[in-house]
Structures are given as C-alpha cells and as structure tokens.
Amino acid sequence: MSEREKLALLEDMLELDEGELSAEMKLEDVLQFDSMARLSLIVLFEDEFGKKIVGKDIDGFDTIGDILAKMEE
Amino acid sequence: MYNLVNLKDKTILITGASSGIGQAIAELLDKLEARVILVARREDKLREVLDGLNNQSSCYYVADLSKLDGIEELIKGIIAEQGALDGFVHSAGIGSSRPLKTIKPNILQEVMSINFSSFVEICRCISIKKRYAESGCSIVGISSIASCQGNASKTAYSASKAAMDAAVRCMAKELSVKGFRVNTVMPGWIETAIYEQHMQNTKGSADVEAVRARQYLGVGKPVDVATLVAFLLSDAARLITGASLDVTGGGA
Ligand SMILES: NC(=O)c1ccc[n+]([C@@H]2O[C@H](COP(=O)([O-])OP(=O)(O)OC[C@H]3O[C@@H](n4cnc5c(N)ncnc54)[C@H](OP(=O)(O)O)[C@@H]3O)[C@@H](O)[C@H]2O)c1
C-alpha cells in the first residue's frame, strides 16, 4: 500500500477531504483526533491490517508519519 | 450457623471463567462449597483458576462459544460427565467499542454471537429434562448497565446486552413451570482487563469520564458482581426471576 493510500485511509476515518493530511503533521494539530478517533484508529488497524494496537501505542504516536510507519511494521 | 446463601454441593456451569468477573464468581462459589464447571477458550488460564479452587470435583472444559453449532454437543457432553445442573452463569463476553461506521454486519454478528446468542443457546440446551436438577435451576447472565445507556461506540455491545436482558424476561416466564429462575446482573465499571483496556483506548473522552464519575462509590471489583450472582443462584432469591439487577456504585 502506498503512502498516499494509507493517508487516504486516515482521511476517510477522520472524514477529512483528500490531501488534507501529510506525514509530517503532528497529531495534536489534527483537531479531529479525539477519543472517538482513537477507537477508530484501533479498529482501522484491526480491519485493514489485521494488527492489534492499544491506547498505549497511540500515546506513542507524535506525527501522522508515526502511524504510517506502524502500519508497515 | 444460618447460611443465607447456601450453595453447598450445587453444580454450577460458569462460562468466561478464565478471567475477570467469571473467575471471581468461580472462586466465590467454591468458597460457598459449590462444584463449578468452568468454560472458556484459554486452557492455561482455566487450569490456573481450577488449581486455586478447593472442591476437587470442580473441572473445566475448553470451548469457543462463538461457534454456536458446537454448543449443543458441548453441553450434552458436560452433563453426561458431570450430571444435571443447579445453575448456569454466562460471563463469557467481549467488550466491543467501535464507532458506528465500522460496525459492519460481520462485526455485529461476532459481538451478538458471543455476548447474546451463545447465552440463549446454552439456556436452550440446559432447559431440557434431565439436564437440570429436579429441584430446579437458576440462570444468571452477566449483562451490563450499558444495556440501559446511550454511549458513543457502544451500539453493538449495548444492543447485545439489552438483548440478553429482554431474553431473560421471556425465558423466566416460559421456564418457570420447570422450576427455573432466569436473571441478569448489570455491572457498571469493574476493574478487569476489559476495563483497563477501555480506559487506555478512550483516554481523554469526556463521555467515558462522565460515566465513571457517575459511579460515585468508585470502580468495582469482580467480587462485587460475584456476591450478587451467588445470591441469585441460591434459594434466598427464590422469588426473583426475569429481573436485571445493577451493581453500579450509584451509576445506574
Ligand atoms: N469489566 C467491566 O467493567 C464490565 C462491566 C459490565 C459488564 N461486563 C461483562 O462481564 C463479562 C465478563 O467480562 P470481564 O470484565 O470479566 O472481562 P474478561 O476478563 O475479558 O472476561 C471475559 C471472559 O469471556 C471469555 N470469552 C470471551 N470470548 C469467548 C469465546 N468466544 N468463547 C468462550 N469464552 C469466551 C474469556 O475467556 P477466554 O479468552 O479464555 O475465552 C473470559 O473468561 C462480559 O460479558 C462483560 O461484557 C464487564
């Protein structure tokens, strides 16, 4: 999956327009990244990548790029 | 000495007995001298729980209850080997938290299967003559106070528990002629793995904090649920059926 495709998954999850997210963006600057988004991210990893992440993993993400890297692991 | 909750030598089937609330129920019933039959998927955990019990005739069966078609054979086998049941507690369940847009039919079915359908299927299988004790049988489902609340991300979970509450009201009436009592217990927040995980995952949620703050006696311990379950299993609760009782520290 390309970086753009992964970003599109996150944009879709956060109901943002295409191209609104970039790898460099800090999570704290993404306004939509609230507790529902945390749950959505856990579910996205499970449904799209068959991976189990937990709240602690999310606490360790600083930028959108960190999430993309975790998708690749 | 007078013992209000007398479960001596009663045979009680407990699903979800490998951890959390189900484990606490097994341990409390063991102290009350009941014989418990533990069911869950993780054999190592079941063995650990069994090793901690006093009653030498207690035992465990490894089973994945989300495989509904296998339940009848399982229950038949258990009863053939262990005898008729005096009680059944369904604590097996998953604490699904998913935003609505991710609850596709297969997910909804997965949550309903383990939290609700397996409960009804076990009730069906044990409600047949000779599978329950002649003196009757008490069934307790572990529901959740979530069944009465509207919380974000809890559509599948809350619906599965509300379905359980509705089912016990009907089964209580239908099975009363056979000497069954059928109830649910609705815990609020109880300190178990499900709780820890949910708090971590939803960190910062005002919604979750509000629910927790409303539970003004604090977060419960698994034994707080187990004590009510023991009471409902005993003859002391002989007039209680078709009920859903909360253990929520004020949060209901
Ligand atoms: N903790 C709370 O705050 C809370 C509040 C309200 C209601 N509840 C309810 O209480 C019940 C027990 O939860 P808990 O808090 O004690 O969590 P838990 O420790 O995760 O217990 C869940 C139990 O269900 C078993 N289980 C799950 N899926 C199963 C399957 N497919 N087949 C057989 N067994 C299965 C698990 O065993 P294996 O993994 O070994 O199979 C485990 O023993 C659940 O129904 C939950 O919804 C909990």
Side-chain angles (χ1 to χ4, degrees):
Chain A
M1 200 183 279
S2 71
E3 178 171 307
R4 183 85 285 283
E5 282 168 325
K6 285 187 222 146
L7 283 170
L9 282 177
L10 293 176
E11 284 161 352
D12 196 36
M13 178 191 97
L14 295 167
E15 301 192 8
L16 294 169
D17 290 336
E18 204 187 321
E20 271 195 69
L21 288 180
S22 64
E24 307 73 49
M25 283 172 86
K26 285 199 173 287
L27 279 195
E28 61 194 29
D29 295 332
V30 182
L31 284 180
Q32 288 83 349
F33 214 87
D34 58 7
S35 61
M36 278 301 272
R38 289 169 68 92
L39 285 179
S40 300
L41 190 62
I42 291 167
V43 167
L44 184 136
F45 267 86
E46 192 178 323
D47 291 354
E48 298 290 335
F49 301 96
K51 283 185 184 163
K52 197 166 164 51
I53 63 163
V54 293
K56 271 211 180 81
D57 297 311
I58 300 176
D59 294 343
F61 297 149
D62 183 32
T63 63
I64 294 288
D66 294 338
I67 302 180
L68 302 183
K70 186 81 179 174
M71 289 173 172
E72 253 162 35
E73 262 176 27
Chain B
M1 202 176 68
Y2 175 62
N3 181 4
L4 178 69
V5 179
N6 184 1
L7 294 174
K8 193 169 169 21
D9 299 330
K10 299 279 186 198
T11 300
I12 318 279
L13 173 70
I14 309 169
T15 66
S18 59
S19 62
I21 293 171
Q23 175 178 356
I25 293 167
E27 289 166 354
L28 180 64
L29 299 189
D30 179 67
K31 284 190 188 129
L32 295 168
E33 298 180 84
R35 176 164 73 115
V36 290
I37 303 166
L38 318 174
V39 175
R41 291 166 303 180
R42 289 169 296 173
E43 183 162 13
D44 53 331
K45 297 276 173 197
L46 286 168
R47 160 115 334 260
E48 254 174 59
V49 176
L50 187 70
D51 286 346
L53 303 181
N54 292 310
N55 194 325
Q56 295 302 314
S57 57
S58 288
C59 58
Y60 69 76
Y61 289 79
V62 179
D64 181 349
L65 298 171
S66 64
K67 301 202 164 61
L68 300 172
D69 288 342
I71 290 180
E72 180 141 34
E73 277 313 300
L74 172 75
I75 299 297
K76 268 192 191 163
I78 289 176
I79 291 167
E81 287 167 19
Q82 310 299 332
L85 300 179
D86 297 287
F88 158 48
V89 183
H90 191 65
S91 190
I94 52 173
S96 171
S97 297
R98 275 179 173 257
L100 178 62
K101 66 179 177 185
T102 68
I103 307 177
K104 298 209 173 125
N106 64 319
I107 298 289
L108 185 59
Q109 199 180 345
E110 182 188 317
V111 178
M112 289 303 280
S113 281
I114 181 62
N115 287 7
F116 170 65
S117 307
S118 68
F119 171 66
V120 176
E121 174 61 358
I122 297 173
C123 291
R124 183 185 76 76
C125 292
I126 66 178
S127 68
I128 294 162
K129 209 173 153 186
K130 294 209 162 66
R131 295 189 186 170
Y132 57 90
E134 274 174 25
S135 54
C137 184
S138 173
I139 294 176
V140 183
I142 306 301
S143 172
S144 167
I145 196 61
S147 69
C148 310
Q149 296 171 335
N151 292 321
S153 81
K154 286 293 183 186
T155 300
Y157 180 75
S158 298
S160 71
K161 297 300 189 181
M164 188 188 231
D165 295 343
V168 300
R169 291 193 287 273
C170 301
M171 292 192 285
K173 178 95 189 278
E174 189 170 330
L175 298 179
S176 62
V177 288
K178 294 181 167 182
F180 274 75
R181 289 183 299 103
V182 194
N183 296 288
T184 63
V185 169
M186 305 185 294
W189 284 121
I190 305 295
E191 255 174 49
T192 66
I194 284 186
Y195 166 77
E196 300 294 344
Q197 197 63 74
H198 191 66
M199 286 302 153
Q200 250 290 316
N201 292 351
T202 57
K203 212 164 96 181
S205 159
D207 206 20
V208 172
E209 271 316 309
V211 174
R212 189 159 66 161
R214 180 79 188 94
Q215 191 164 328
Y216 50 80
L217 290 187
V219 175
K221 300 257 188 249
V223 70
D224 296 321
V225 180
T227 46
L228 179 56
V229 170
F231 171 72
L232 286 172
L233 289 171
S234 78
D235 288 341
R238 67 182 193 90
L239 207 62
I240 303 178
T241 196
S244 294
L245 305 178
D246 70 272
V247 189
T248 57

CSV table of all heavy atoms in Angstrom, one decimal, chain B residues 16-21 40-42 63-66 91-93 114 142-144 157 161 187-190 192 194, ligand 1:
chain,number,residue,atom,x,y,z
B,16,GLY,N,-16.8,-18.1,30.6
B,16,GLY,CA,-16.0,-16.9,30.8
B,16,GLY,C,-15.3,-17.0,32.2
B,16,GLY,O,-15.0,-15.9,32.8
B,17,ALA,N,-15.0,-18.2,32.6
B,17,ALA,CA,-14.4,-18.4,34.0
B,17,ALA,C,-12.9,-18.3,34.0
B,17,ALA,O,-12.3,-18.4,35.0
B,17,ALA,CB,-14.9,-19.7,34.5
B,18,SER,N,-12.3,-18.0,32.8
B,18,SER,CA,-10.8,-18.0,32.8
B,18,SER,C,-10.2,-16.6,33.3
B,18,SER,O,-9.0,-16.5,33.5
B,18,SER,CB,-10.3,-18.3,31.4
B,18,SER,OG,-10.8,-17.3,30.5
B,19,SER,N,-11.1,-15.6,33.5
B,19,SER,CA,-10.5,-14.3,34.0
B,19,SER,C,-11.6,-13.4,34.5
B,19,SER,O,-12.8,-13.7,34.3
B,19,SER,CB,-9.8,-13.6,32.8
B,19,SER,OG,-10.6,-13.3,31.8
B,20,GLY,N,-11.2,-12.3,35.0
B,20,GLY,CA,-12.2,-11.2,35.4
B,20,GLY,C,-13.3,-11.7,36.3
B,20,GLY,O,-13.2,-12.4,37.3
B,21,ILE,N,-14.5,-11.3,35.9
B,21,ILE,CA,-15.7,-11.5,36.7
B,21,ILE,C,-16.0,-13.0,36.8
B,21,ILE,O,-16.4,-13.5,37.9
B,21,ILE,CB,-16.9,-10.7,36.1
B,21,ILE,CG1,-16.6,-9.2,36.2
B,21,ILE,CG2,-18.2,-11.1,36.7
B,21,ILE,CD1,-17.6,-8.3,35.5
B,40,ALA,N,-14.1,-21.7,28.9
B,40,ALA,CA,-13.6,-20.6,28.2
B,40,ALA,C,-12.6,-21.1,27.1
B,40,ALA,O,-12.5,-22.4,27.0
B,40,ALA,CB,-12.8,-19.6,29.2
B,41,ARG,N,-11.9,-20.2,26.4
B,41,ARG,CA,-11.0,-20.7,25.4
B,41,ARG,C,-9.6,-21.0,25.9
B,41,ARG,O,-8.9,-21.9,25.4
B,41,ARG,CB,-10.9,-19.7,24.2
B,41,ARG,CG,-12.2,-19.6,23.4
B,41,ARG,CD,-12.2,-18.4,22.6
B,41,ARG,NE,-12.0,-17.2,23.4
B,41,ARG,CZ,-11.9,-15.9,22.9
B,41,ARG,NH1,-12.0,-15.7,21.6
B,41,ARG,NH2,-11.7,-14.9,23.7
B,42,ARG,N,-9.1,-20.2,26.8
B,42,ARG,CA,-7.7,-20.3,27.2
B,42,ARG,C,-7.5,-21.3,28.3
B,42,ARG,O,-7.7,-21.1,29.4
B,42,ARG,CB,-7.2,-18.9,27.7
B,42,ARG,CG,-7.0,-17.8,26.6
B,42,ARG,CD,-6.8,-16.5,27.3
B,42,ARG,NE,-8.0,-16.1,28.1
B,42,ARG,CZ,-8.0,-15.0,28.8
B,42,ARG,NH1,-7.0,-14.2,29.0
B,42,ARG,NH2,-9.1,-14.7,29.5
B,63,ALA,N,-13.6,-24.4,25.3
B,63,ALA,CA,-14.6,-24.2,24.2
B,63,ALA,C,-14.6,-22.8,23.7
B,63,ALA,O,-14.5,-21.9,24.5
B,63,ALA,CB,-16.0,-24.7,24.6
B,64,ASP,N,-14.8,-22.6,22.4
B,64,ASP,CA,-15.0,-21.3,21.8
B,64,ASP,C,-16.5,-21.2,21.6
B,64,ASP,O,-17.1,-21.8,20.7
B,64,ASP,CB,-14.3,-21.2,20.5
B,64,ASP,CG,-14.5,-19.8,19.8
B,64,ASP,OD1,-15.4,-19.1,20.3
B,64,ASP,OD2,-13.8,-19.5,18.9
B,65,LEU,N,-17.2,-20.4,22.4
B,65,LEU,CA,-18.6,-20.4,22.4
B,65,LEU,C,-19.2,-19.5,21.3
B,65,LEU,O,-20.4,-19.5,21.1
B,65,LEU,CB,-19.2,-19.8,23.8
B,65,LEU,CG,-18.8,-20.7,25.0
B,65,LEU,CD1,-19.1,-19.9,26.3
B,65,LEU,CD2,-19.5,-22.0,24.9
B,66,SER,N,-18.3,-18.8,20.5
B,66,SER,CA,-18.8,-18.1,19.4
B,66,SER,C,-19.1,-19.1,18.3
B,66,SER,O,-19.8,-18.7,17.3
B,66,SER,CB,-17.8,-17.0,18.9
B,66,SER,OG,-16.6,-17.7,18.5
B,91,SER,N,-20.7,-15.5,31.8
B,91,SER,CA,-19.9,-14.3,32.0
B,91,SER,C,-19.0,-14.2,30.7
B,91,SER,O,-18.2,-13.2,30.6
B,91,SER,CB,-19.0,-14.4,33.2
B,91,SER,OG,-18.4,-13.2,33.5
B,92,ALA,N,-19.0,-15.1,29.8
B,92,ALA,CA,-18.2,-15.0,28.6
B,92,ALA,C,-18.8,-13.8,27.8
B,92,ALA,O,-20.0,-13.6,27.7
B,92,ALA,CB,-18.4,-16.3,27.7
B,93,GLY,N,-17.9,-13.0,27.3
B,93,GLY,CA,-18.3,-11.8,26.5
B,93,GLY,C,-17.2,-11.0,26.1
B,93,GLY,O,-16.0,-11.2,26.6
B,114,ILE,N,-21.2,-14.1,20.7
B,114,ILE,CA,-20.6,-14.5,22.0
B,114,ILE,C,-21.4,-13.8,23.2
B,114,ILE,O,-21.7,-14.5,24.2
B,114,ILE,CB,-19.1,-14.1,22.1
B,114,ILE,CG1,-18.5,-14.6,23.4
B,114,ILE,CG2,-18.8,-12.7,21.8
B,114,ILE,CD1,-18.6,-16.0,23.7
B,142,ILE,N,-24.4,-12.3,32.7
B,142,ILE,CA,-23.7,-11.1,33.1
B,142,ILE,C,-24.0,-10.1,31.9
B,142,ILE,O,-23.4,-10.2,30.8
B,142,ILE,CB,-22.2,-11.3,33.3
B,142,ILE,CG1,-22.0,-12.4,34.4
B,142,ILE,CG2,-21.6,-9.9,33.7
B,142,ILE,CD1,-22.6,-12.1,35.7
B,143,SER,N,-24.9,-9.2,32.1
B,143,SER,CA,-25.2,-8.2,31.2
B,143,SER,C,-24.3,-7.0,31.5
B,143,SER,O,-23.2,-7.1,31.9
B,143,SER,CB,-26.7,-7.8,31.3
B,143,SER,OG,-27.1,-6.7,30.6
B,144,SER,N,-24.8,-5.8,31.3
B,144,SER,CA,-24.0,-4.6,31.6
B,144,SER,C,-25.0,-3.4,31.8
B,144,SER,O,-26.0,-3.4,31.1
B,144,SER,CB,-23.1,-4.3,30.5
B,144,SER,OG,-22.5,-3.0,30.7
B,157,TYR,N,-22.3,-3.5,21.4
B,157,TYR,CA,-22.1,-4.1,22.8
B,157,TYR,C,-23.4,-3.9,23.6
B,157,TYR,O,-24.0,-4.8,24.1
B,157,TYR,CB,-21.0,-3.4,23.5
B,157,TYR,CG,-20.8,-3.8,24.9
B,157,TYR,CD1,-20.2,-5.1,25.1
B,157,TYR,CD2,-21.1,-3.1,26.0
B,157,TYR,CE1,-19.9,-5.5,26.4
B,157,TYR,CE2,-20.9,-3.5,27.3
B,157,TYR,CZ,-20.3,-4.7,27.5
B,157,TYR,OH,-20.1,-5.2,28.8
B,161,LYS,N,-26.2,-6.7,25.1
B,161,LYS,CA,-26.6,-6.8,26.5
B,161,LYS,C,-28.1,-6.6,26.7
B,161,LYS,O,-28.7,-7.2,27.5
B,161,LYS,CB,-25.7,-5.9,27.4
B,161,LYS,CG,-24.2,-6.2,27.3
B,161,LYS,CD,-23.9,-7.6,27.8
B,161,LYS,CE,-22.4,-7.8,28.0
B,161,LYS,NZ,-22.1,-9.1,28.4
B,187,PRO,N,-23.5,-5.0,35.7
B,187,PRO,CA,-22.4,-4.3,36.3
B,187,PRO,C,-22.1,-3.0,35.7
B,187,PRO,O,-22.3,-2.8,34.5
B,187,PRO,CB,-21.2,-5.2,36.2
B,187,PRO,CG,-21.7,-6.5,35.7
B,187,PRO,CD,-22.9,-6.2,34.9
B,188,GLY,N,-21.7,-2.0,36.5
B,188,GLY,CA,-21.1,-0.8,35.9
B,188,GLY,C,-19.6,-1.1,35.7
B,188,GLY,O,-19.2,-2.2,35.4
B,189,TRP,N,-18.7,-0.1,35.9
B,189,TRP,CA,-17.3,-0.3,35.7
B,189,TRP,C,-16.7,-1.2,36.8
B,189,TRP,O,-16.9,-0.9,37.9
B,189,TRP,CB,-16.5,1.0,35.7
B,189,TRP,CG,-16.7,1.8,34.4
B,189,TRP,CD1,-17.2,3.0,34.2
B,189,TRP,CD2,-16.4,1.3,33.1
B,189,TRP,NE1,-17.2,3.4,32.9
B,189,TRP,CE2,-16.7,2.3,32.2
B,189,TRP,CE3,-15.9,0.1,32.6
B,189,TRP,CZ2,-16.5,2.2,30.8
B,189,TRP,CZ3,-15.7,0.0,31.2
B,189,TRP,CH2,-16.0,1.1,30.3
B,190,ILE,N,-16.1,-2.3,36.3
B,190,ILE,CA,-15.5,-3.2,37.3
B,190,ILE,C,-14.0,-3.4,36.8
B,190,ILE,O,-13.8,-3.5,35.6
B,190,ILE,CB,-16.2,-4.6,37.2
B,190,ILE,CG1,-17.7,-4.5,37.5
B,190,ILE,CG2,-15.5,-5.6,38.1
B,190,ILE,CD1,-18.1,-4.1,38.9
B,192,THR,N,-11.3,-4.9,35.6
B,192,THR,CA,-10.8,-6.2,34.9
B,192,THR,C,-10.0,-5.7,33.7
B,192,THR,O,-9.9,-4.5,33.4
B,192,THR,CB,-12.0,-7.0,34.4
B,192,THR,OG1,-12.7,-6.3,33.4
B,192,THR,CG2,-12.9,-7.4,35.6
B,194,ILE,N,-10.9,-5.9,30.6
B,194,ILE,CA,-11.7,-5.1,29.7
B,194,ILE,C,-11.8,-3.7,30.1
B,194,ILE,O,-11.7,-2.8,29.2
B,194,ILE,CB,-13.2,-5.7,29.7
B,194,ILE,CG1,-13.3,-7.0,28.9
B,194,ILE,CG2,-14.2,-4.7,29.2
B,194,ILE,CD1,-14.7,-7.6,28.8
C,1,LIG,N1,-15.4,-5.2,33.5
C,1,LIG,C1,-16.4,-4.4,33.4
C,1,LIG,O1,-16.4,-3.2,33.7
C,1,LIG,C2,-17.8,-5.0,32.9
C,1,LIG,C3,-18.9,-4.2,33.1
C,1,LIG,C4,-20.1,-4.7,32.7
C,1,LIG,C5,-20.2,-5.9,32.1
C,1,LIG,N2,-19.1,-6.7,32.0
C,1,LIG,C6,-19.3,-8.0,31.4
C,1,LIG,O2,-18.8,-9.0,32.2
C,1,LIG,C7,-18.4,-10.2,31.4
C,1,LIG,C8,-17.0,-10.6,31.9
C,1,LIG,O3,-16.1,-9.6,31.5
C,1,LIG,P1,-14.8,-9.3,32.3
C,1,LIG,O4,-14.8,-7.8,32.6
C,1,LIG,O5,-14.6,-10.3,33.4
C,1,LIG,O6,-13.6,-9.5,31.2
C,1,LIG,P2,-12.7,-10.6,30.8
C,1,LIG,O7,-11.7,-10.9,31.9
C,1,LIG,O8,-12.1,-10.3,29.5
C,1,LIG,O9,-13.6,-11.9,30.7
C,1,LIG,C9,-14.3,-12.3,29.5
C,1,LIG,C10,-14.4,-13.8,29.6
C,1,LIG,O10,-15.1,-14.3,28.4
C,1,LIG,C11,-14.4,-15.4,27.9
C,1,LIG,N3,-14.7,-15.4,26.4
C,1,LIG,C12,-14.6,-14.4,25.5
C,1,LIG,N4,-14.9,-14.8,24.3
C,1,LIG,C13,-15.1,-16.2,24.4
C,1,LIG,C14,-15.5,-17.2,23.5
C,1,LIG,N5,-15.6,-16.9,22.2
C,1,LIG,N6,-15.7,-18.4,24.0
C,1,LIG,C15,-15.6,-18.7,25.3
C,1,LIG,N7,-15.3,-17.8,26.2
C,1,LIG,C16,-15.0,-16.5,25.8
C,1,LIG,C17,-12.9,-15.1,28.2
C,1,LIG,O11,-12.2,-16.3,28.2
C,1,LIG,P3,-11.2,-16.8,27.0
C,1,LIG,O12,-10.5,-15.5,26.5
C,1,LIG,O13,-10.2,-17.7,27.8
C,1,LIG,O14,-12.0,-17.5,26.1
C,1,LIG,C18,-13.0,-14.5,29.6
C,1,LIG,O15,-13.0,-15.6,30.5
C,1,LIG,C19,-18.5,-9.8,30.0
C,1,LIG,O16,-19.7,-10.3,29.4
C,1,LIG,C20,-18.6,-8.2,30.0
C,1,LIG,O17,-19.3,-7.7,29.0
C,1,LIG,C21,-17.9,-6.3,32.4
